[in-house]
Amino acid sequence: MQQISFENIDLGGFWETKQNTNRDVTMPVIYKQFYDSGRVTAFACDWKPGDEKKPHYFWDSDIAKWIEGVSYSLINAPDESLEEVIDIIVDWIYDNQFIDGYFNIYFTVCEPTKRFTNRDAHELYCAGHLIEAAIAYHKATGKSKFLRCMEKYVLHIKDVFMDKYIADFATPGHEEIELALIKLWEYTDKLEYLKLARYFINLRGNNEKDKPVYNHTDFTYEQSHEPVREMKSAIGHAVRAEYLYCAMADLARIDNDEELKNACKALFSDIANKKMYITGGVGSGILGECFTEEYDLPNQFAYSESCAGIALALFAKRMNLLDVNSIYDDVAERVIYNNIFASCSISGREFFYTNPLEINLKERRLTQKYRMENQNFPATERQALFDCSCCPPNFARFIESFGDFLYTQDDDTVYIHHYAKSSAAFNGIKIKQTTDYPLKGKIKIAISGKCENKKIALRIPGWCQKYTVTVDKKAVKPKVTDGFIYIKCEGKKLSIELDLEMKAVLNEANPLIDQNFGRVAVSYGPFIYCLEDIDTDYKISEISLSKTLNETIKYVEFFKANIMEVDAFVTETFEGLYRPLKNTKKPIRLMLVPYYTFANRGEADMAVWLKLAR
Amino acid sequence: MQQISFENIDLGGFWETKQNTNRDVTMPVIYKQFYDSGRVTAFACDWKPGDEKKPHYFWDSDIAKWIEGVSYSLINAPDESLEEVIDIIVDWIYDNQFIDGYFNIYFTVCEPTKRFTNRDAHELYCAGHLIEAAIAYHKATGKSKFLRCMEKYVLHIKDVFMDKYIADFATPGHEEIELALIKLWEYTDKLEYLKLARYFINLRGNNEKDKPVYNHTDFTYEQSHEPVREMKSAIGHAVRAEYLYCAMADLARIDNDEELKNACKALFSDIANKKMYITGGVGSGILGECFTEEYDLPNQFAYSESCAGIALALFAKRMNLLDVNSIYDDVAERVIYNNIFASCSISGREFFYTNPLEINLKERRLTQKYRMENQNFPATERQALFDCSCCPPNFARFIESFGDFLYTQDDDTVYIHHYAKSSAAFNGIKIKQTTDYPLKGKIKIAISGKCENKKIALRIPGWCQKYTVTVDKKAVKPKVTDGFIYIKCEGKKLSIELDLEMKAVLNEANPLIDQNFGRVAVSYGPFIYCLEDIDTDYKISEISLSKTLNETIKYVEFFKANIMEVDAFVTETFEGLYRPLKNTKKPIRLMLVPYYTFANRGEADMAVWLKLAR
């Protein structure tokens, strides 16, 4: 099974707009913030004790992700001035790389004697992101300086960690290098990179040298509590965990390793079926940015980091190459259109690091004043820059490479995983999707080129309860196998119309999720909706949804999305506190907005999980 | 309006059982705990630095409340050995009282140079409880030594605080002495005690000398933020606040002070209509043991201190003398049969200080592990002794004096506020109540003696939606005025039968209480019921109540109470996390127990506010 890379796909419509905002606003804004905070010039490695803007040990990775995102944009839209900026940074890397290949800003200027001594200091994590950036930049420009630097660094890492085994730790405290090394092997075909990746993966939870990196827990925080093939439960820091699972999925595919494949399936299922918000957000634990326990998904305290959402999508994408089942795409779609989108404002300028599913400003204030001092809740508004700024550039590179998610191909079948207005050409096949998806459910797919006798597999999204398919204008009713329908291309081209009925759906949560006790969430297509109290005269707690939503859908330019009006009721307040149950409810029309667009109009109370009228 | 004291009333049935447990178990248990912790012998005032069991500044009050409770029991059940114990303590007080009248254990042995310098050190609070104890002991035994000591102490306090105004603070940081001084005036008829009480009350929030006692807040914590006649909102530490409000209500009545009366009505209404749990518990703020804000009544974090419940009942009792309205009795009944009863185990041996309305053990564990470190939740099981042990002896004295709540009388009317099997004789009138109340709703009331031409006012409890009345066996339908029906006693005796229909009621909360979002609570008569998960095979979050409860009521000896079985449904868990709303519910019968009996069978998940089936 082969994944079709985004370079082969031109996106239009909804996604083109997203990518334009990403290129025109988000990436420049991130660069400016990074420049102002000293991250860019830090690569000159001339910081000295006493200077301002002391480099942090993850700054390399922040810039690396930005370079990766920009490089992806350069593939489709060359831009010399952007290349110049990156070339300067690459020159700094080249100039400051040690003769043995080592490169890391923090451990060059801040703690030069402490190389590879602190397992939690993100050195190999930074290396991994730099590798990914170097590959992307080489792909975009053909310039090899950055890539050569990184290959030299990798050989040094291999020497220290694998061949001589002399570093103070055996495997990194923050995973990332594993998947980057596999990518580097795939790009260069040099086997030592794959060997090093395999070495790090197999050594994890399987050696005497590693120590726990986090006071609060044991080895689970950085997934070093057991060998990877024994893993069944997603655990510890969510981003670290999922970057590892990505590399495990890659390795399982490359080595055709059944044991590892099964571990990946178990981990994915554990996340998707027990530890994921309805927005696709994961890692509910605010202490430790971590996976907590099954069905523990608090709405107000949701940590649900943007990077963890991105990592989940990356894991899902890799699972498609291991296993044909639409569950991976369903999860990817859920997390992309809700959690990941939420992490950036409509304008493209501000960012969420945490993505709560409920904001109750009064309850926050009262909690901090009367129940627990110094309690940090997730932010209520997106901010320009974080000290810990991993999410914005991760978002940027993700949006640029979304095309990766659309297609895979094996010997006899082309799989269409996601729908988006686009033209693709790969392996002699051309696929054109004409659609307003995700805003509307109708998709015309025109396939031509070397498609004769190939099967076309179309995913029926998990959110869709009713759909029709026509093939060359004739209605067909193919059976659904693991979430896909299969259509044989008999001739030299094929025209498919898929009409996925979009309507408002009331969703319930598994009753084992205490936090959603008696509530429902509204979805429309892949989007989860929420209520912001600025759109109603009432408090959220006074409102309950009607069982028949009777929705009106309206595209609103401000949101660049569909807003929804539904039938609801207001339970009117009464004198006093308690009374025998009455049904004094007043019908109202209620405006809901896609979850990802919340907090674009100032701070407000917000809830995804709403009361249902009795 | 005169309150009829409990000495005039013999309680039988339900309350006799309660009082027997209080006398036979609770008060001896408290004494033993107090003895073992050093509280009893601390009165010898021979502790020296370096010794174990250093006295705390509220120990005087702990023992005082115990003496008060025991004294009340001695009135009905003399006991020489108990008197001997108290006499020894009184001798210690006499021996260690300073020549100027001062008595306080802590400031005699621990900080002898710091008398009346620390507004928060509970000196006058201790004095107040000692005064109440001395009155009770004098009433029970006629022995005057203790009372004389306390009168001497009061004169010293008056000298220091009022006449010379030389203490470091003007009014106490913890109220209590005000109501005690009024009680002392009523008992001795010596006007200076009333003057001192009036002085403390009027000076509060009305002087330049007082400083805030609590870091976290301003003057609101100890109700010194405004003069008492301007108070409209119950605020700050709940017990302190309500003890003040008790004294304010007393003074308003004595002085016929309309302004103060209106302040008391506003404060009571603020509590009853905006700040009270359905159990009658008050003071929802765990940081500061305080009233928080309107409609802020978190269930899991409920502080809802037992002493605050007791203080609310005492405030309600006093309001009956200011204003004829059953709201005061409704609140008293709610808090007594739910919050106050909950504070002591069925056995009488263990005590709750805080009284949560929901326990979710998994959620607690996860919250402490993943959301907020070091967070203290309310206790899940009653404990034998607290360091801060104000609640158990407060409970003991309260149970002994419950008779106080039954009757008041003015020139032409006898008011029956509460129903309980009992015989009363006062002012030449005899009233006999034959009933199983609160377990059943039928009450026979026989009135004789000097009752001719008097009106008998019977309260129709707020919980009761349907009732019948017969007078001398004839059905009548008197109109309800402010919660009371009035029956004229034409002859020399009167026989009334009141049948209050008891059935299970589904209660809803004002939607402004966020925390009860879409939930209902079941009541039966004055009792609020709860679900403990040990009584079901399911998790509480999986269960929803049927709208038609179809209840079965069953008296169970273990609980000494009625348990209830109702129709409910289980929403079965399903694979995965979310799905379009289905109605896959399975009918079950569900056992509920009176809230006050929860946690008598080990630690368990518990909830008062439950889901209602759709």
Side-chain angles (χ1 to χ4, degrees), chain B residues 149-423:
Chain B
C149 287
M150 286 307 111
E151 289 195 61
K152 187 174 172 188
Y153 187 14
V154 167
L155 292 178
H156 175 64
I157 292 167
K158 180 166 173 288
D159 187 47
V160 172
F161 280 86
M162 186 173 150
D163 301 341
K164 300 212 178 77
Y165 197 60
I166 52 172
D168 279 4
F169 51 92
T171 69
H174 195 315
E175 298 93 323
E176 153 67 23
I177 195 167
E178 302 85 349
L179 73 86
L181 287 168
I182 294 174
K183 209 183 246 191
L184 188 62
W185 165 69
E186 286 178 327
Y187 194 65
T188 64
D189 218 21
K190 294 179 190 167
L191 202 60
E192 54 260 63
Y193 306 149
L194 177 61
K195 279 186 186 160
L196 182 57
R198 192 186 288 125
Y199 174 82
F200 277 136
I201 292 168
N202 289 338
L203 205 61
R204 180 164 291 271
N206 215 1
N207 70 78
E208 300 296 317
K209 204 190 253 183
D210 284 338
K211 301 275 175 297
V213 299
Y214 190 62
N215 288 339
H216 297 281
T217 58
D218 53 17
F219 279 105
T220 58
Y221 185 72
E222 72 284 6
Q223 302 78 42
S224 301
H225 56 296
E226 59 190 356
V228 295
R229 285 170 190 78
E230 292 170 22
M231 290 180 179
K232 286 186 179 65
S233 170
I235 202 160
H237 186 272
V239 178
R240 302 182 199 215
E242 291 171 323
Y243 283 175
L244 172 65
Y245 306 155
C246 284
M248 285 165 61
D250 284 339
L251 192 64
R253 169 177 52 84
I254 293 160
D255 289 350
N256 200 17
D257 180 332
E258 281 300 321
E259 232 184 322
L260 199 52
K261 219 179 266 189
N262 288 335
C264 291
K265 282 189 192 178
L267 290 165
F268 192 90
S269 165
D270 185 55
I271 296 171
N273 292 316
K274 290 173 181 166
K275 294 175 182 167
M276 180 181 69
Y277 287 98
I278 197 168
T279 58
V282 289
S284 59
I286 205 159
L287 296 176
E289 314 180 343
C290 61
F291 285 108
T292 68
E293 293 178 22
E294 297 177 357
Y295 308 111
D296 176 46
L297 295 159
N299 293 311
Q300 286 200 70
F301 278 103
Y303 195 75
S304 186
E305 186 186 334
S306 309
C307 280
I310 291 167
L312 177 58
L314 298 177
F315 181 26
K317 183 173 77 171
R318 283 162 169 88
M319 289 306 292
N320 274 333
L321 304 179
L322 278 190
D323 187 21
V324 177
N325 195 314
S326 68
I327 55 169
Y328 307 113
D329 295 324
D330 284 343
V331 165
E333 190 168 54
R334 189 184 285 283
V335 70
I336 292 169
Y337 288 112
N338 299 288
N339 175 266
I340 297 175
F341 274 14
S343 72
C344 186
S345 63
I346 295 171
S347 73
R349 288 178 191 284
E350 298 91 14
F351 309 95
F352 270 139
Y353 190 83
T354 56
N355 298 279
L357 274 77
E358 183 170 334
I359 294 173
N360 181 329
L361 295 170
K362 181 185 168 201
E363 181 60 26
R364 279 172 183 243
R365 184 174 54 73
L366 292 170
T367 296
Q368 287 169 330
K369 186 164 179 190
Y370 295 114
R371 299 195 256 291
M372 33 191 149
E373 286 168 292
N374 309 318
Q375 178 51 42
N376 289 319
F377 281 90
T380 55
E381 293 193 273
R382 293 175 188 82
Q383 293 154 38
L385 179 72
F386 308 87
D387 285 338
C388 178
S389 194
C390 51
C391 299
N394 213 357
F395 174 83
R397 70 173 187 142
F398 183 85
I399 293 296
E400 285 305 314
S401 56
F402 169 70
D404 275 358
F405 283 82
L406 264 55
Y407 304 109
T408 60
Q409 187 179 8
D410 63 16
D411 289 345
D412 61 356
T413 308
V414 173
Y415 295 87
I416 307 183
H417 296 276
H418 292 273
Y419 302 106
K421 186 173 179 183
S422 57
S423 306

Side-chain angles (χ1 to χ4, degrees), chain A residues 276 293 372 510 574 578, chain B residues 276 360 365 372 510 574 578:
Chain A
M276 179 181 69
E293 293 179 20
M372 33 190 148
N510 192 313
F574 51 86
Y578 313 105
Chain B
M276 180 181 69
N360 181 329
R365 184 174 54 73
M372 33 191 149
N510 191 312
F574 50 87
Y578 313 105

Side-chain angles (χ1 to χ4, degrees), chain A residues 336 338-345 352 355 382 595-598:
Chain A
I336 291 169
N338 298 287
N339 175 267
I340 296 175
F341 274 13
S343 73
C344 187
S345 62
F352 270 139
N355 298 281
R382 294 174 186 82
Y595 167 73
Y596 83 84
T597 68
F598 90 94

